[in-house]
Amino acid sequence: FHYLAQRVKAPAPSPPSVQVALKLAAEKLKIPEGSYDLWDRYGKIEFPEDLQRAMHMAGAGDCVVLVKEHEHFIQLRAHEEKHKSTENRVSTLEAHLKNSNTRFDDLVGAAREEIMNSVKRLEGRVDNEIKPVIDALIRDKNRLQKDVRNIEEIVGQLDLQEMKQIASDSFKLGNEVRDAVRRVNDMQSAWITDKAKLTEMCMQSQQDLHELQRYLQGKVDVCIEADGDLRREQQLCVERMQMVADDVRILGDEHHRLMRQCTGALEESEELRTLLGQVREDNEHLKSDHGNVKTRVHCLEGTALDVWEGFMPGVLYFQRFHRIARGDDVQLSPDFQLATGRGFLAATGLVIGNNEGLAVADGPCRRFGTPGSNVCYFELEVEEVKSVPAGMGGLWVGVSLQSAQEIIKHPAKEFDGWLVGGNSKAMVCRSGTPADLPIDPDKVPETFAPGASDGTGITENIHEAIALLRTALPPRLKGEMREFGSQWSSQHLKRGDRIGVLWRCNRDVGARMRVSVNGDIVLTQQFSDAPTAQAVGFFTPVVRLAGSGKSVRILPGLSPPSRMLADEAAPPTSAAAAVAARPSALRGGGPATGSEPHRDVGASTPR
């Protein structure tokens, strides 16, 4: 491994593994894992094949692998070195400050000792020089007085001339004594002045010492605040570098993805040009064939309206999931047949109060049976599951009275529906109507299929059916999602399981939902508050991806198996029902398996 100025050797991993090589480099070079990449002279080593290539190209000699540290870690190391240098400077300043305090204390002590020595010298000088002079003057005075007495004794013996002479001598001696006293007084006044100056100098020195202490204390506080600011700035720099590293990684992944897409697009462009020419030729043939087929379909639909009660022309059954009628967290495959949920709340099994994991088919279910006694059926295939704690449940399956377009128009994507699944639960969903959204009494719900408002509906009087529907499900201001107990838990579904859902509205009251897993019936659930068969038309498949259920695929165009229809069959009661079964063969619905008379109600030729 070659890292900066270091070169270390390590045994080659067998078999070649990039992760093992990264760990060896971290152990040998004493650097943290994840802060570097391995390179050889041919590029970055990301996969075991790259490491095997580097070892192969090295031959019998040492395989030299260059360890390149990430840019943000290099900058972090530079910041650490800068921080260490800053700490060294602070330590140096603290040492200088400590030395300055010691030197100042030494200078103050030296000045104090010098002042004390000066005072002692002055006192010694006074004792040694001034006091002897004063004592000598006193002795001279005493001696003078003695002399005066002697003179007085001698005055009588001396004449006047001698007296004058003595008087003049005495006057001189007096002047000398006064001069001596004046000099002593001058020396005392000078000593007092010097003492006051020394006292003032000592006070000034103490005041300067206090000011210097305050100044140094302020400098220390400033250094402490500067150290705290440096630490905060360093922490901010580390956080910013981490954010920059995350952004760089995300941008790198996006860049690689775009490069792969561009490469694929360039490779497909040539194929698309050839395909476009073929499509143009096929389009011309399809245009001519479309007119013929359209004429035939209109003839078949006209005949079906005459012989089949409740036939609905122009209905397009579901083929995939709707690309807009879904939860914000749901992702669809390019063909819109695979839905994957990624919501946090739905992943915990919570589906009430949110639309996470919601996936709605792009059309209604096929209906099988006879008018007034028909069933809706669709199937799903589990593509991906995940491990969740026990009791969190799985996905929900059911039907919606509203179509995908009606669910999109609702602000909260609410609908009237019935679902089962989760942790052995059944759920009834009611759609709320906002107060600012008026209800149009003449609008025909899409459950009665396109064309109902034009006079061709599943019942002879579409308005009577709408009245029955609004009586069974009256409008409400606020939506509601209500759970109750059931017998089937979807948490134990596995990848590849096929779920069949059969829904039937009863003639008198309520509805029944039957669920099968891989052909085995696992649940028959009654919903007493569902509308009757005379009040509804088509139903739309609905899935809620929650709990262990992460991804499902919708399977269009399937008929219910005979086991699902065993208790749901309703044989025809008149010859008209037997006659009505014949047009289903023309439309591709056909009877159910065996001899059961169930048929695709309202089916038409797919567009």
Side-chain angles (χ1 to χ4, degrees):
F1 296 103
H2 187 191
Y3 172 70
L4 298 179
Q6 302 182 32
R7 294 180 68 92
V8 296
K9 290 187 177 182
S14 178
S17 173
V18 177
Q19 296 298 328
V20 174
L22 291 173
K23 290 183 179 179
L24 286 174
E27 293 175 358
K28 295 293 183 179
L29 297 174
K30 306 301 182 181
I31 56 178
E33 293 188 28
S35 64
Y36 56 88
D37 293 323
L38 300 181
W39 292 70
D40 63 351
R41 59 180 177 177
Y42 298 101
K44 183 178 180 182
I45 298 177
E46 296 180 316
F47 305 101
E49 292 79 3
D50 300 335
L51 183 58
Q52 189 174 7
R53 176 198 65 202
M55 295 169 62
H56 177 73
M57 296 306 294
D62 294 337
C63 178
V64 179
V65 176
L66 181 62
V67 178
K68 289 187 177 181
E69 195 172 9
H70 295 166
E71 183 65 25
H72 54 276
F73 280 95
I74 295 175
Q75 295 181 2
L76 283 176
R77 190 170 64 252
H79 281 290
E80 290 178 355
E81 294 176 356
K82 184 177 179 180
H83 178 67
K84 290 180 180 179
S85 64
T86 304
E87 288 184 347
N88 293 332
R89 290 178 60 190
V90 172
S91 301
T92 304
L93 289 175
E94 291 178 351
H96 285 313
L97 180 60
K98 186 175 180 180
N99 294 333
S100 298
N101 292 334
T102 304
R103 188 168 59 255
F104 181 77
D105 292 338
D106 295 339
L107 292 175
V108 171
R112 184 181 294 108
E113 291 178 359
E114 184 177 357
I115 292 171
M116 294 299 296
N117 293 331
S118 300
V119 172
K120 288 180 180 179
R121 286 195 302 271
L122 182 61
E123 290 177 352
R125 185 178 178 184
V126 169
D127 293 336
N128 297 328
E129 296 181 4
I130 298 177
K131 284 185 178 181
V133 172
I134 294 174
D135 293 339
L137 292 175
I138 293 173
R139 287 194 301 270
D140 293 339
K141 181 181 179 181
N142 294 331
R143 191 169 51 253
L144 179 63
Q145 290 178 356
K146 186 178 180 180
D147 294 338
V148 168
R149 286 194 297 271
N150 292 330
I151 291 171
E152 288 178 353
E153 292 175 355
I154 300 172
V155 166
Q157 299 175 5
L158 297 177
D159 55 359
L160 184 59
Q161 186 64 32
E162 291 178 349
M163 292 293 296
K164 289 181 180 179
Q165 185 66 34
I166 292 171
S168 63
D169 295 335
S170 298
F171 179 77
K172 291 179 181 180
L173 290 175
N175 291 334
E176 290 177 358
V177 170
R178 283 194 294 272
D179 292 336
V181 171
R182 186 176 62 258
R183 286 196 299 269
V184 170
N185 291 334
D186 293 338
M187 292 177 63
Q188 186 177 4
S189 62
W191 180 81
I192 293 173
T193 303
D194 294 337
K195 183 178 180 181
K197 289 182 180 180
L198 290 175
T199 304
E200 185 179 357
M201 290 174 64
C202 290
M203 295 297 293
Q204 186 67 29
S205 299
Q206 291 180 355
Q207 185 177 359
D208 293 340
L209 177 62
H210 291 312
E211 290 179 359
L212 182 59
Q213 288 179 347
R214 289 196 298 270
Y215 173 78
L216 293 177
Q217 186 66 33
K219 290 295 183 181
V220 171
D221 295 338
V222 170
C223 291
I224 294 173
E225 293 178 357
D227 182 69
D229 294 338
L230 289 174
R231 293 182 183 273
R232 287 193 295 272
E233 291 178 359
Q234 181 182 4
Q235 184 177 1
L236 291 176
C237 290
V238 172
E239 295 175 354
R240 290 172 183 170
M241 290 301 299
Q242 292 176 352
M243 294 174 62
V244 169
D246 295 339
D247 294 341
V248 169
R249 184 176 63 256
I250 293 172
L251 290 175
D253 296 340
E254 186 69 13
H255 177 67
H256 291 309
R257 185 181 65 81
L258 290 176
M259 287 182 63
R260 290 193 296 269
Q261 290 181 354
C262 292
T263 304
L266 291 175
E267 294 175 355
E268 293 175 359
S269 61
E270 295 298 330
E271 299 177 0
L272 290 176
R273 291 179 182 178
T274 305
L275 183 61
L276 182 59
Q278 297 176 359
V279 169
R280 288 176 180 173
E281 295 178 0
D282 296 341
N283 190 29
E284 296 297 330
H285 295 293
L286 290 175
K287 285 182 179 179
S288 61
D289 294 341
H290 174 69
N292 298 330
V293 174
K294 185 176 182 180
T295 304
R296 294 175 184 175
V297 169
H298 288 170
C299 295
L300 291 174
E301 289 180 347
T303 304
L305 288 173
D306 296 335
V307 299
W308 190 359
E309 179 185 357
F311 175 75
M312 179 61 62
V315 178
L316 297 177
Y317 299 107
F318 75 89
Q319 295 293 325
R320 58 187 66 85
F321 287 113
H322 198 278
R323 66 184 184 88
I324 301 178
R326 57 185 175 87
D328 297 334
D329 66 305
V330 176
Q331 295 184 356
L332 301 178
S333 62
D335 59 356
F336 298 106
Q337 289 190 347
L338 182 65
T340 303
R342 301 184 183 276
F344 174 76
L345 294 177
T348 60
L350 180 61
V351 297
I352 296 180
N354 62 79
N355 60 6
E356 290 187 0
L358 174 64
V360 184
D362 64 343
C365 295
R366 287 184 179 273
R367 299 188 303 169
F368 301 89
T370 59
S373 180
N374 54 71
V375 296
C376 300
Y377 181 78
F378 67 95
E379 286 190 12
L380 301 166
E381 182 178 354
V382 180
E383 288 288 336
E384 185 179 355
V385 296
K386 61 181 179 181
S387 178
V388 296
M392 193 170 289
L395 56 82
W396 298 69
V397 294
V399 295
S400 167
L401 189 62
Q402 284 81 8
S403 66
Q405 295 296 334
E406 290 177 322
I407 294 176
I408 294 173
K409 294 178 182 178
H410 196 281
K413 295 183 180 179
E414 296 178 354
F415 58 90
D416 296 317
W418 299 266
L419 299 93
V420 294
N423 185 23
S424 300
K425 297 288 185 179
M427 182 166 59
V428 177
C429 302
R430 288 300 313 278
S431 174
T433 303
D436 56 349
L437 184 63
I439 300 176
D440 187 4
D442 298 329
K443 181 181 179 181
V444 178
E446 293 192 13
T447 181
F448 299 110
S453 60
D454 298 335
T456 58
I458 62 171
T459 60
E460 294 181 356
N461 194 340
I462 190 67
H463 296 289
E464 293 181 2
I466 294 175
L468 291 174
L469 176 61
R470 291 178 178 169
T471 301
L473 298 176
R476 53 195 304 157
L477 293 177
K478 186 177 181 181
E480 179 186 11
M481 300 175 73
R482 177 166 46 89
E483 288 184 354
F484 53 92
S486 182
Q487 300 297 325
W488 176 56
S489 175
S490 61
Q491 184 173 351
H492 306 294
L493 291 174
K494 301 182 296 298
R495 187 176 184 272
D497 289 347
R498 295 184 67 169
I499 306 170
V501 181
L502 186 138
W503 172 263
R504 176 193 175 189
C505 290
N506 301 324
R507 289 179 179 271
D508 48 0
V509 61
R512 178 186 301 172
M513 181 180 293
R514 178 165 289 178
V515 179
S516 67
V517 178
N518 297 327
D520 298 329
I521 298 175
V522 296
L523 173 68
T524 300
Q525 182 69 40
Q526 298 288 343
F527 292 93
S528 59
D529 55 351
T532 59
Q534 292 81 7
V536 293
F538 293 91
F539 290 89
T540 303
V542 176
V543 182
R544 292 298 298 271
L545 299 169
S548 63
K550 187 175 182 180
S551 179
V552 296
R553 182 182 298 277
I554 192 167
L555 305 175
L558 298 179
S559 300
S562 58
R563 297 179 61 181
M564 295 286 285
L565 294 170
D567 296 336
E568 303 291 343
T573 58
S574 63
V579 173
R582 288 195 298 271
S584 63
L586 298 175
R587 291 181 298 274
T593 59
S595 60
E596 297 169 348
H598 289 270
R599 55 189 172 83
D600 187 355
V601 177
S604 63
T605 303
R607 295 181 179 178

